[in-house]
Amino acid sequence: MSGTAGIDGGNATYGKKPFKRSRSHFTDRVTADGRDGWPVEPGRYRLVVSKACPWASRALVSRRLLGLEGALSLAVADPIQDHRSWRFTLDPDDRDPVLGIRYLHEAYDARETDYPGGVSVPAVVEVPSGKLVTNDFQQITLDLATEWTALHREGAPDLYPPALREEIDEVAEDVYRDVNNGVYRCGFAHEQKTYEDACRTLFARLDALSERLANRRYLVGDQITEADIRLFTTLVRFDAVYHGHFKCNVRKIAEDPVLWAYVRDLYQTPGFGDTVDFDHIKRHYYQVHTGINPTGIVPLGPDLSGWLTPHHREQFGGRPFGEGTPPGPPPAAERVPAAGRP
C-alpha cells in the first residue's frame, strides 16, 4: 500500500522509500481573537477523530481534561476506513448527525478541491459551512490548552504552563521524532537496515524516557502536561499493535517496570483511559494495513487486565491536575464500550 495512511495526523507517505510524514496542509488555527478567521465559539466547530489514531487521541485526551465536551462536539469515525477516507458508519444512516456527511473527505473538499494530501484525523470542521478548518495535529491540542481557555471547565488543568513550555517542547520533540513517529518508521520500513536503525533509535529513546521517569511522576514538572499526553498515546498502543504489527519487538512496554507503571498511572487518570478503545485500535491497524498484515486477522491478545493493576507512582508525589481538579465522567454517548476496555 502506498500513498497516505489514514490513521496518521498529517500525511504519511510510504512505499519503497523510508517512511516520511509530511506537514499538515491545513494549518489555520481556531484562536481566541480569530486572527485566522476562525474565532473560538461554543458549538461552532466539530472535532473529528478516530479512536484508533494516536494523533487524534491527543485531542480526545485534551478535550476531556479541559472539559470542552459541551463547547466542541465530537464525531467518531469507523476504525475501518476505505479508499474514500474515514467514514461515519458508526452513526445512523452512515452519516455524521451534525455535519450530515458520509465521509470526512467531504469536509476537506468543501474547503479545497483536489488539495495535495490525504484525509487525516484529527480534523476540526466548522459546523455551519461544513468546511475543514485544520488538520494540524501538532497545533490542535496546544490551541485547545491556550486559546480555548474561556470555555474550559472550572478546575481545568494548565496543560501547557508558560514557565515549562520550553522544556515541554524539547521533550515533546524527542518523543515525536523517535517514539510517536519512530514506531511508524519501524512498521513501514522496506529494507532491513532502515528498520533496524529505526528500531534501535526507538528503544534508545524509550530507555532514556524510562531513566527520566524512574524518580519523577511526570515528564515535565510535577503535573500532567502536553508532553505526557503525547507520549501516552503511543505507549498505550505499544503492546497491542506496535510490538507485533510494527515489529517493535525488542521488548514490550509491560517489560519495562518504569514505563509500564507510568502508562498505567496515566491510563487510570480520568481523561486518559476513558478515551482509549482497544477494540478500535486493534481492528484498525490489523485490518487496514493490508501491506503488513494481508490476512486481516486481528489477534486475540494481549490481556488487558493489567491496565487496572496498582502502579504505585503516587510515591513520587506530584499533582496530576496541578491547581485544578479531575474531569467528571465522560458523557454517556462517549463512553468506551466494554469490548474496548479492560
Side-chain angles (χ1 to χ4, degrees):
M1 179 180 179
S2 61
T4 55
I7 68 168
D8 296 306
N11 301 316
T13 302
Y14 51 94
K16 292 184 178 180
K17 295 181 179 180
F19 174 86
K20 182 180 180 181
R21 189 179 307 281
S22 59
R23 294 180 179 275
S24 299
H25 181 68
F26 298 100
T27 57
D28 288 7
R29 296 172 59 190
V30 179
T31 59
D33 62 6
R35 54 187 176 274
D36 283 359
W38 310 102
V40 171
E41 292 180 15
R44 179 169 174 175
Y45 307 98
R46 191 156 173 82
L47 176 65
V48 182
V49 303
S50 163
K51 290 187 177 180
C53 172
W55 319 99
S57 288
R58 295 178 179 183
L60 274 174
V61 173
S62 296
R63 175 177 170 271
R64 280 277 295 122
L65 293 176
L66 299 172
L68 289 170
E69 294 97 327
L72 177 62
S73 66
L74 182 69
V76 178
D78 192 310
I80 311 300
Q81 84 268 42
D82 62 26
H83 68 282
R84 290 166 292 188
S85 81
W86 295 103
R87 54 188 185 172
F88 297 104
T89 49
L90 302 180
D91 296 303
D93 195 33
D94 297 344
R95 290 183 183 274
D96 178 79
V98 173
L99 299 173
I101 57 178
R102 293 183 182 273
Y103 294 91
L104 181 55
H105 80 74
E106 296 173 57
Y108 277 68
D109 291 344
R111 172 71 185 274
E112 182 180 328
T113 304
D114 297 326
Y115 84 97
V119 176
S120 64
V121 289
V124 176
V125 179
E126 186 189 36
V127 174
S129 68
K131 293 181 179 180
L132 178 79
V133 176
T134 179
N135 67 345
D136 189 348
F137 68 102
Q138 297 280 46
Q139 189 63 44
I140 287 173
T141 51
L142 297 180
D143 284 342
L144 292 181
T146 61
E147 298 289 339
W148 289 67
T149 53
L151 300 177
H152 287 181
R153 65 178 175 87
E154 184 178 355
D158 187 347
L159 300 174
Y160 197 47
L164 299 177
R165 287 181 186 177
E166 184 176 351
E167 186 177 3
I168 290 171
D169 291 346
E170 181 180 347
V171 172
E173 175 56 30
D174 289 341
V175 167
Y176 169 75
R177 182 187 62 247
D178 298 336
V179 180
N180 301 147
N181 213 35
V183 294
Y184 286 87
R185 291 203 306 271
C186 295
F188 292 120
H190 282 259
E191 294 181 351
Q192 187 68 30
K193 185 179 186 303
T194 301
Y195 159 74
E196 290 183 5
D197 288 348
C199 198
R200 289 191 179 100
T201 299
L202 165 64
F203 280 92
R205 181 60 60 192
L206 290 175
D207 286 342
L209 290 166
S210 182
E211 182 177 355
R212 181 183 183 94
L213 290 163
N215 296 298
R216 58 191 301 168
R217 193 169 181 184
Y218 303 112
L219 284 172
V220 181
D222 66 351
Q223 68 176 75
I224 292 164
T225 68
E226 175 78 13
D228 297 293
I229 295 172
R230 295 189 178 200
L231 180 57
F232 171 79
T233 58
T234 295
L235 294 187
V236 78
R237 288 163 171 75
F238 201 96
D239 291 1
V241 290
Y242 302 142
H243 178 270
H245 184 60
F246 277 179
K247 305 179 183 69
C248 303
N249 64 352
V250 172
R251 64 179 172 276
K252 296 178 179 178
I253 295 301
E255 295 169 346
D256 182 309
V258 172
L259 293 181
W260 179 225
Y262 166 77
V263 72
R264 290 192 343 265
D265 184 6
L266 291 178
Y267 183 86
Q268 294 171 30
T269 299
F272 283 84
D274 53 31
T275 69
V276 175
D277 191 323
F278 284 105
D279 176 60
H280 279 212
I281 290 167
K282 288 171 57 178
R283 287 196 291 123
H284 175 85
Y285 280 88
Y286 284 104
Q287 292 185 316
V288 170
H289 294 160
T290 55
I292 299 175
N293 185 38
T295 65
I297 292 173
V298 180
L300 290 176
D303 180 6
L304 300 178
S305 61
W307 285 99
L308 302 180
T309 58
H311 51 75
H312 305 298
R313 295 282 293 179
E314 302 94 339
Q315 65 180 309
F316 300 125
R319 305 165 299 159
F321 305 99
E323 299 297 330
T325 58
E334 296 182 16
R335 292 175 187 165
V336 177
R341 49 187 169 83

